[in-house]
Amino acid sequence: MNKRVLLVNKFYYTRGGAEVVAINLQDLLSAHGYEVAVFTMDYQDTIRAPYVHTTPEVSFKTSSVKDKINFARRTLGGYKVVEDFKKVLNEFKPDVVHLHNIHSYISPVVGQIAHDYGSRVVWTLHDYKLLCPAYSCLNRGNVCERCFFNKGRILTQRCFKESMAASTLAWAEALKWNRIKLQKFTHAFICPSNFMREQMIKGGFNAHKLHVVNNFLDPIKHEELKDLPHNNKEDYYTYIGRLSSEKGVETLLKTAKNLPYKLKIAGGGPLKQHLISHYDLPNIEFLGRLDAVEVSHLLSHARLLIQPSECYENNPLSTIEALCAGVPVVGAQIGGIPELISPSNGLTFTWGDQIELERCINSVMSGSYSFNYDEIARDALNRFSGESHLGRLEKIYFD
């Protein structure tokens, strides 16, 4: 009988990087003969398929006291998630339960239940939630690690959504699902970057349970990108991602407005209107959200991608996709970004430093620093292939 893997993620639609990875993994495992099921929250955009099982939606963004109570109960491991998850376990009988983003809307209780059931529990860490109750290692826009060792800091700083109520619930969640408890029921944690692994060790997690496995490129997109021509570049560079302060996009725009090269910005987010109103210039074009085909087309003609983050990025898919398209990357020296960049495929700069960023952009766009686009694509397509990812994953699943 084929091995069975149950994937668990709180959302199951193309919402963000974690969801894209989980959806792509379902496709990858199924294509290689695994029986795969998904457990997620029932949400309006949830992908509907026979292999997708749900637990009721909860939300903190509501005026209903009852809804807020149900959200708090779910966060701590209640409100129907236990019975719904046990039902899936008994019906599907997974060999491996692979957790992704599960806090609040699903709850780590599912990992505990899966362990007690007898499944091997593997957990991919897409953010810093196990170290920082506010997920991001940011306190009002500044990098912060104080909660690594004292979760109560979130109460004094109110750094989760700048809300005392949200911060209090995140603190209670961190106490309930503490490091000791999480490690007892998790066989292996997958860190998509070495930086993530080092941070987890710094936060007291057992190094032997932490395995580095990079994210991978969607096999369909892999086929698209491997056939792209790499020498028909146009005279523009690009940013693809969320338009929010921690992504460093305003630092990029402040730099770009004084440069003679065309910058194309793809993505949406809370800063969208602010950025459009302040940087509506002839050399800056805002494209809005693009679908996968449009992103591939944008990359196929770009001379450069900028990854200007000012937060602890983990293993950004936008950088991986750019490299697989043969596009060099200028990336900030923060989080896991530098691990993806070498002199043969890009340049790095001190995060937040506009002078260094301008120098890097100028050196590539002016032609004084050149790259072999075909070589960038060939190396990246091999490094971030689904087959390469699956080979490393299977050792964690079954060794």
Side-chain angles (χ1 to χ4, degrees):
M1 186 172 67
N2 293 339
K3 294 289 187 180
R4 296 184 174 187
V5 179
L6 176 61
L7 304 178
V8 186
N9 196 68
K10 55 191 179 185
F11 296 107
Y12 198 68
Y13 65 98
T14 53
R15 183 174 186 266
E19 288 71 40
V20 170
V21 170
I23 292 167
N24 289 346
L25 182 56
Q26 190 278 325
D27 292 338
L28 180 67
L29 291 169
S30 296
H32 285 79
Y34 287 84
E35 292 187 48
V36 187
V38 173
F39 185 76
T40 188
M41 186 178 72
D42 190 1
Y43 187 69
Q44 60 183 6
D45 296 320
T46 298
I47 294 172
R48 307 295 172 178
Y51 58 84
V52 176
H53 307 267
T54 63
T55 195
E57 179 184 356
V58 292
S59 176
F60 195 71
K61 298 177 182 178
T62 174
S63 59
S64 166
V65 174
K66 181 180 179 181
D67 288 345
K68 288 182 182 294
I69 291 172
N70 286 338
F71 182 85
R73 289 171 60 199
R74 174 68 59 78
T75 296
L76 300 178
Y79 186 59
K80 299 186 178 180
V81 71
V82 172
E83 51 265 47
D84 290 342
F85 190 67
K86 284 183 175 179
K87 180 181 179 182
V88 174
L89 285 179
N90 290 325
E91 290 178 356
F92 186 63
K93 299 179 173 55
D95 301 289
V96 177
V97 172
H98 190 156
L99 311 177
H100 289 267
N101 277 2
I102 58 173
H103 277 83
S104 303
Y105 297 94
I106 293 290
S107 168
V109 72
V110 297
Q112 190 174 56
I113 296 169
H115 176 272
D116 294 343
Y117 178 82
S119 297
R120 187 173 180 86
V121 179
V122 175
W123 194 337
T124 293
L125 306 175
H126 297 280
D127 53 44
Y128 299 90
K129 179 65 171 176
L130 303 194
L131 301 172
C132 167
Y135 289 92
S136 61
C137 297
L138 288 172
N139 181 0
R140 289 168 175 78
N142 299 311
V143 171
C144 173
E145 297 181 0
R146 285 178 287 185
C147 278
F148 283 22
F149 313 104
N150 179 4
K151 299 297 188 276
R153 288 278 190 176
I154 194 172
L155 297 178
T156 58
Q157 299 297 312
R158 301 185 184 185
C159 51
F160 190 38
K161 302 182 180 180
E162 298 186 13
S163 162
M164 189 59 180
S167 296
T168 299
L169 186 55
W171 169 74
E173 183 180 34
L175 292 186
K176 169 79 173 182
W177 305 112
N178 59 65
R179 170 173 50 85
I180 295 172
K181 184 178 290 186
L182 297 178
Q183 291 189 112
K184 281 183 177 178
F185 64 71
T186 305
H187 293 86
F189 295 97
I190 294 176
C191 304
S193 65
N194 284 298
F195 180 83
M196 168 66 85
R197 184 175 188 272
E198 291 166 3
Q199 294 299 97
M200 291 289 287
I201 292 171
K202 185 189 294 187
F205 280 77
N206 184 344
H208 296 295
K209 289 200 169 199
L210 302 168
H211 305 264
V212 178
V213 183
N214 288 161
N215 290 326
F216 68 100
L217 190 66
D218 167 9
I220 294 176
K221 190 167 286 185
H222 187 283
E223 290 302 305
E224 282 181 9
L225 295 182
K226 78 179 180 64
D227 294 326
L228 284 179
H230 300 128
N231 294 309
N232 59 345
K233 302 299 184 185
E234 297 178 12
D235 198 25
Y236 70 83
Y237 62 113
T238 187
Y239 167 85
I240 301 171
R242 182 172 167 79
L243 304 183
S244 54
S245 57
E246 76 278 4
K247 296 298 184 180
V249 65
E250 190 151 24
T251 297
L252 169 60
L253 289 167
K254 287 177 180 177
T255 305
K257 69 179 183 179
N258 298 316
L259 295 174
Y261 320 109
K262 182 79 170 184
L263 170 62
K264 296 190 177 187
I265 301 282
L271 289 184
K272 180 180 177 181
Q273 293 307 317
H274 165 78
L275 296 177
I276 291 174
S277 65
H278 285 75
Y279 301 96
D280 183 15
L281 301 168
N283 65 327
I284 298 174
E285 181 180 1
F286 291 89
L287 304 174
R289 295 182 186 274
L290 303 182
D291 62 28
V293 173
E294 291 169 329
V295 167
S296 294
H297 183 267
L298 178 67
L299 286 173
S300 69
H301 298 287
R303 292 182 59 193
L304 182 64
L305 176 97
I306 312 297
Q307 188 75 56
S309 292
E310 297 175 6
C311 62
Y312 284 166
E313 289 282 3
N314 190 359
N315 193 232
L317 286 173
S318 57
T319 295
I320 290 172
E321 289 185 7
L323 295 174
C324 289
V327 179
V329 176
V330 166
Q333 294 166 354
I334 191 168
I337 295 172
E339 298 171 32
L340 299 173
I341 300 173
S342 67
S344 65
N345 67 17
L347 301 169
T348 61
F349 68 98
T350 302
W351 64 272
D353 190 321
Q354 293 179 48
I355 295 174
E356 279 193 37
L357 176 56
E358 180 177 332
R359 188 182 303 124
C360 289
I361 294 171
N362 265 323
S363 66
V364 178
M365 297 300 291
S366 68
S368 61
Y369 197 111
S370 61
F371 297 94
N372 184 322
Y373 302 129
D374 289 330
E375 185 177 289
I376 290 174
R378 183 175 60 250
D379 291 347
L381 287 166
N382 179 61
R383 179 180 177 185
F384 303 113
S385 71
E387 286 70 22
S388 177
H389 182 89
L390 183 60
R392 292 191 291 271
L393 200 58
E394 287 177 324
K395 291 180 180 179
I396 296 169
Y397 278 178
F398 305 118
D399 279 2

